Every structure is written in C-alpha cells, then in structure tokens.
C-alpha cells in the first residue's frame, strides 16, 4: 500500500511542469544585463571567475523565475561597436531560450548601448522594456576632463598602448578602442547621441541610479578618488555636484526616473561600482538583491 502511495506521489510530481516547480515573481521574464566600460560576461567572469560584474545578481534573478543573460562585448570601444556585439549575442540567446521579447537592462555606458540597439539597430521589435542603471544620459564630465588633458597628437599613441593593454587583460579577441570609448562618454557626444537615438514609441524606458554622500576612502576606495573630479565637472556643465564617483546623478535620469536605493545606516551612499555589486562590493551597504528584484518586477509590470 505504501509503495503504491509513493509511486502515485512521484507520478504526480513528475507531471507538474518544471516551470511550475520553480516559478517565482519573475516567472517567464527574459532579461539581458548589459555591462558598461571595462565590463565582461559573467558566465566566465574575470580573473578566473573570481570577479563578477553583476556580483551574482544574474543567478539571483534566475532563482526568482527569470531567464537571464549577461552578454559580453568589447571592454573598451564605441557605443555602435558594442551595441552590434550585444545585439548579436542577445538575439542568439533569445532564440535558444524561447524569448520573443527581452527586458534590456544596461549599466553605465551599457545604458546607452541598449538605447542605441533599440533606436538604431532595429531591435525595438524584440524589446519589451529599456532600463538604465547609473547611466550617463547627459554625459560623464570626467571623460571630458581626462581627454582634454591628453594632447590630440598624443591620443593615437595613447590609444594604441591602452587598447593593447585591454586586449592583453581581457584576451577575448574582441577589438578595443580606448579613445573611442572615452569620447562616447563626453557631454558633447552624448548630447548628439540623444538627438540621434530618440526613444521608440511603444517601449517604456526606466532609469535608476545612486550617489555617494562624500569621498569616503573606506567604503569607496576607488570612487573616492574620482568623486571630486566628477563633482567639479558636474558643476561646470550644469549637472550638479551629486554623483556616484563617475556619473552626475542628474545625468543618470532618462525616461521614468525610479530613484536610488536605500543604503544601510552606516553607508556613505552607493557608488558606481557598488550599483551592480561588482565583485560583491555593494551587498554590505544596501539590499542589492531586493533592489534588483524591484527593478525587474517594475519592468515586468510596466509601471
């Protein structure tokens, strides 16, 4: 009798669709997490997998029922070049995973990359929503400052040396162009970019961001060094002093602005790297998983 009951239970269990067993709040959603400059595909990670751009967020969103990809592209290059690479990768992934449409979510330059895909590469028909995170929709003044410090005659030599270094570090065979990357972040370039890459009707655009309270070297050992430069540049270009170490807060807003995460009481804000939990750098200062679940749920609901 017990044997028959056990067999019956197993038969019932096996008859339940797999998606039903692991369904979550994001069940059936297709999401592409697109990295910014110096980024990489988290399938492999960097340094033998020791460093992850999204700090495990792709796995977490999968545990909530979503299908997630973290496509890689040139770590240093122009927006059109990276957009073409990302589009190819995402299209292949969508076909393999039965996704008719995808929620595109891009961080930093990745936000401009996905906007370019939708506006200029005919990807709007495959896009459900566009969400940008700490992206530079009005430019990153620090890029203007750095490029201005490099004489025009020196830029080709600097580009060759730095691009070669990028190739040696990433070893993925993709083309690298550090100067093209830098120019794509400048205030003047992004102003033209916005004119040439308008939002597509029928697609909802959302933006999220963060800022540092001040240049705290303990919590923000890298971004504390760039925060003052971005602060000064932001004031000069009329974007305000608030920033995440790389991008002024006002530059992070595009479409429906959804705000910044609530950091823990002891945190001095959330910087540009912590915004994606790069190398697990943000999870000690705010609820990273809860924040990204909210981002994904908002995209699903289309609020």
């Amino acid at each position: 009798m017990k044997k028959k009951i056990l067999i019956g239970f197993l038969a019932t269990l096996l008859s339940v669709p797999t998606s039903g067993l692991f369904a979550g709040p994001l069940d059936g959603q297709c999401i592409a997490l697109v990295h910014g400059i110096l980024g990489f595909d988290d399938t492999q990670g960097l340094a033998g997998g020791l460093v992850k751009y999204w700090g495990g967020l792709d796995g977490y969103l999968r545990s909530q029922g979503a299908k997630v990809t973290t496509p890689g592209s040139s770590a240093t290059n122009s927006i059109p070049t990276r957009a073409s690479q990302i589009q190819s990768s995402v299209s292949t992934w969508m076909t393999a995973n039965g996704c008719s449409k995808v929620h595109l979510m891009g961080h930093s330059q990745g936000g401009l990359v996905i906007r370019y895909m939708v506006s200029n590469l005919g990807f709007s028909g495959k896009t459900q929503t566009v969400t940008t995170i700490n992206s530079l929709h009005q430019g990153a003044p620090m890029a203007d400052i750095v490029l201005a410090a490099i004489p025009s005659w020196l830029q080709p030599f600097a580009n060759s040396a730095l691009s070669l270094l990028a190739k040696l570090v990433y070893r993925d065979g993709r083309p690298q162009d550090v100067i093209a990357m830098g120019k794509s972040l400048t205030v003047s370039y992004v102003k033209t970019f916005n004119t040439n890459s308008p939002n597509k009707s029928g697609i909802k655009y959302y933006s999220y961001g963060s800022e540092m309270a001040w240049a705290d070297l303990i919590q923000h050992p890298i971004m504390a060094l760039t925060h003052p430069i971005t602060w000064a540049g932001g004031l000069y270009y009329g974007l305000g002093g608030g920033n995440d170490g790389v991008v002024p807060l006002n530059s992070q807003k595009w479409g429906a602005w959804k705000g910044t995460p609530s950091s823990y009481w002891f945190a001095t804000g959330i910087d540009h790297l912590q915004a994606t939990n790069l190398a697990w750098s943000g999870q000690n200062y705010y609820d990273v998983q809860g924040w990204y679940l909210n981002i994904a749920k908002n995209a699903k609901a289309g609020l």
Side-chain angles (χ1 to χ4, degrees):
M1 187 61 162
K2 290 182 178 179
K3 185 176 181 180
K4 288 183 178 180
I5 293 174
L6 179 60
I7 292 174
F9 172 75
L10 291 174
T12 301
L13 186 64
L14 292 173
S15 68
V16 177
T18 304
S19 60
L21 284 173
F22 302 99
L26 303 178
D27 187 36
Q29 302 304 298
C30 297
I31 298 173
L33 299 175
V34 180
H35 65 75
I37 65 171
L38 305 180
F40 42 87
D41 182 355
D42 270 6
T43 302
Q44 300 294 330
L46 202 62
L50 294 176
V51 179
K52 294 295 184 74
Y53 191 92
W54 298 95
L57 287 168
D58 54 327
Y60 172 71
L61 294 177
R62 291 188 191 101
S63 76
Q64 300 302 303
K67 299 176 182 178
V68 185
T69 182
T70 58
S73 62
S74 294
T76 60
N77 219 310
S78 67
I79 291 170
T81 296
R82 289 197 53 223
S84 178
Q85 295 170 349
I86 293 292
Q87 176 166 300
S88 177
S89 178
V90 172
S91 294
T92 299
W93 175 82
M94 289 176 68
T95 300
N97 287 273
C99 299
S100 59
K101 288 196 172 185
V102 63
H103 296 289
L104 296 173
M105 299 181 183
H107 172 251
S108 192
Q109 189 203 45
L112 302 187
V113 166
I114 60 177
R115 283 180 53 202
Y116 187 90
M117 285 170 54
V118 173
S119 298
N120 301 294
L121 298 184
F123 203 71
S124 58
K126 294 183 177 181
T127 302
Q128 195 160 350
T129 60
V130 172
T131 298
T132 63
I133 303 159
N134 292 66
S135 291
L136 50 146
H137 301 291
Q138 305 303 325
M142 189 171 70
D144 296 80
I145 294 171
V146 171
L147 284 173
I150 305 176
S152 57
W153 64 268
L154 184 59
Q155 288 189 10
F157 301 99
N159 190 39
S160 296
L162 294 173
S163 297
L164 176 59
L165 178 61
K167 288 181 180 180
L168 293 174
V169 170
Y170 289 89
R171 296 180 178 274
D172 55 14
R174 296 189 180 102
Q176 307 291 343
D177 191 330
V178 174
I179 295 298
M181 174 199 75
K183 290 180 177 179
S184 76
L185 309 178
T186 61
V187 173
S188 59
Y189 178 94
V190 179
K191 183 177 181 180
T192 301
F193 172 88
N194 288 337
T195 300
N196 297 331
S197 304
N199 290 356
K200 284 286 186 179
S201 62
I203 295 177
K204 293 188 175 181
Y205 290 71
Y206 307 103
S207 57
Y208 298 79
S210 68
E211 64 179 322
M212 297 163 56
W214 52 284
D216 170 13
L217 280 167
I218 296 176
Q219 183 186 330
H220 315 285
I222 298 176
M223 295 293 99
L225 303 178
T226 57
H227 180 274
I229 301 173
T230 303
W231 174 82
L235 292 178
Y236 179 81
Y237 284 101
L239 295 172
N243 69 85
D244 64 2
V246 177
V247 184
L249 185 64
N250 287 330
S251 186
Q252 299 172 33
K253 301 175 181 179
W254 188 262
W257 170 245
K258 293 295 182 176
T260 62
S262 296
S263 55
Y264 299 146
W265 67 268
F266 53 83
T268 53
I270 303 302
D271 68 36
H272 195 73
L273 303 181
Q274 293 164 349
T276 65
N277 202 32
L278 176 71
W280 299 275
S281 61
Q283 61 193 27
N284 292 326
Y285 302 105
Y286 72 113
D287 180 9
V288 172
Q289 293 184 344
W291 181 239
Y292 274 85
L293 179 58
N294 176 65
I295 290 174
K297 288 170 70 175
N298 177 79
K300 177 183 176 181
L303 299 175

